[in-house]
Amino acid sequence: MRRFSAEYLRRTREGMWADSRAALANLDLDSRSRILDVGCGTGELSRVLADESDADVVCVDADRDLLRVAREETGLPIVAGDATGLPFADDTFDLVICQALLVNLPDPTAAVEEFARVSSDLVAAVEPDNADVSVDSTVSEEVTLERRVREAYLAGVETDVALGETVGETFRDCGLADVRSRRYDHEKVVDAPYDEADLQDAARKASGAGLADHETELRRALSTETYDELRRAWRAMGRDVVAQIQEEEYRRVEVVPFDVTVGRVSSTSVE
Ligand SMILES: C[S@@+](CC[C@H](N)C(=O)[O-])C[C@H]1O[C@@H](n2cnc3c(N)ncnc32)[C@H](O)[C@@H]1O
């Protein structure tokens, strides 16, 4: 299982649902009473679900360290468990949802089938299309290098990290009905005045630490020589970012598309 640091999740989710909650409309949050957030990480989505509904929200993750952070930061109940074998009886929740979980699983279908088992009504997934990310930057080399890194990462990663809109097919294959999808573009802008997280991100570029987050996948796709050359170019680019930040000239815009897919558990009873 790929592990994520609490810091990485905070940084990448910052502001994610702050003013774009319309994309969650198909979840009918007003009428939910028990919600399960699977692969909750630090609980970034769980908090939104609790804010937007009167439901009891339960957080599940396979990583106990992240779960502890989720409990501290959201105050919601946590349960350790695997997405493909959830420790709940059939029909325990009326919405079972995940965010950026299926892209990390070797068998996303097995997880969706399990979601449908423990849900009496809706199943939902908020999944990124990592092949369709766009980056614009005042450091032009950053745009080129991010594209190179993304292509190598997509070639080296062992799960389908560009699931995006194909989640709908998986839902239908699992017998879910009334499947609907809404795309939500998560735009992250770095611009002056910079905050502490922006300065840390720039320092991580200059030191190569940001690239090292994905070293395993990159090394799978690249020769040692190419990886080392990429790392040198990446760090030089990071130094340019730091220099532009010092002059308050740096601006970067990244757009990560997420698809919010919702399906209904079909009733098998015959009237
Ligand atoms: C990219 S993170 C997303 C976290 C959170 N949903 C968010 O969007 O901020 C993926 C999460 O799925 C968890 N995870 C990975 N495989 C899992 C599995 N088989 N069962 C439960 N959780 C899993 C990881 O520990 C991690 O917290």
Side-chain angles (χ1 to χ4, degrees):
M1 182 179 88
R2 223 186 124 201
R3 297 203 69 183
F4 295 85
S5 69
E7 190 208 340
Y8 171 86
L9 291 177
R10 278 195 210 101
R11 221 174 40 239
T12 52
R13 302 295 180 260
E14 199 179 17
M16 180 156 172
W17 294 110
D19 51 11
S20 309
R21 297 187 178 187
L24 300 176
N26 289 338
L27 304 178
D28 294 336
L29 288 172
D30 291 349
S31 59
R32 300 294 120 203
S33 53
R34 270 180 76 72
I35 300 175
L36 183 67
D37 181 11
V38 187
C40 64
T42 50
E44 306 297 324
L45 177 67
S46 326
R47 188 184 302 110
V48 175
L49 298 169
D51 285 352
E52 296 287 311
S53 74
D54 294 325
D56 295 327
V57 178
V58 178
C59 307
V60 165
D61 204 284
D63 184 325
R64 289 170 189 269
D65 295 335
L66 289 178
L67 270 181
R68 271 191 289 275
V69 178
R71 183 175 49 202
E72 278 161 25
E73 297 198 352
T74 66
L76 296 169
I78 55 166
V79 177
D82 191 284
T84 57
L86 292 166
F88 302 103
D90 296 0
D91 301 339
T92 304
F93 301 91
D94 57 5
L95 168 62
V96 177
I97 186 167
C98 65
Q99 175 172 283
L101 168 73
L102 301 182
V103 287
N104 289 297
L105 298 181
D107 185 0
T109 304
V112 175
E113 282 170 348
E114 185 64 351
F115 292 6
R117 180 186 69 77
V118 300
S119 176
S120 61
D121 190 20
L122 293 185
V123 169
V126 182
E127 295 294 327
D129 183 347
N130 286 307
D132 212 11
V133 173
S134 69
V135 174
D136 197 11
S137 170
T138 49
V139 176
S140 56
E141 195 59 11
E142 184 171 17
V143 177
T144 318
L145 285 170
E146 292 237 12
R147 191 178 312 119
R148 272 184 72 192
V149 168
R150 193 163 39 257
E151 283 169 7
Y153 178 78
L154 288 168
V157 71
E158 288 177 326
T159 60
D160 185 357
V161 293
L163 269 180
E165 58 194 359
T166 65
V167 171
E169 285 164 36
T170 308
F171 273 34
R172 284 185 204 95
D173 291 347
C174 293
L176 294 169
D178 192 17
V179 176
R180 286 161 292 159
S181 224
R182 274 183 186 231
R183 183 153 274 217
Y184 161 56
D185 285 331
H186 177 34
E187 185 182 79
K188 288 182 282 181
V189 180
V190 179
D191 205 350
Y194 310 105
D195 63 20
E196 191 49 40
D198 297 335
L199 302 182
Q200 277 176 18
D201 275 353
R204 284 169 57 79
K205 282 185 177 125
S207 71
L211 198 68
D213 281 347
H214 304 302
E215 184 172 346
T216 308
E217 292 81 9
L218 296 175
R219 282 197 184 278
R220 237 182 247 132
L222 303 173
S223 67
T224 303
E225 270 174 18
T226 308
Y227 178 81
D228 290 345
E229 176 267 312
L230 182 64
R231 188 165 183 277
R232 274 194 298 277
W234 185 269
R235 293 186 62 187
M237 173 274 286
R239 290 192 290 276
D240 288 347
V241 170
V242 170
Q244 282 200 7
I245 281 187
Q246 282 161 355
E247 299 298 320
E248 303 215 327
E249 285 171 355
Y250 179 66
R251 187 169 199 275
R252 175 185 189 272
V253 181
E254 178 185 84
V255 179
V256 182
F258 281 83
D259 286 288
V260 182
T261 307
V262 179
R264 198 169 294 280
V265 176
S266 314
S267 165
T268 50
S269 62
V270 179
E271 301 281 320

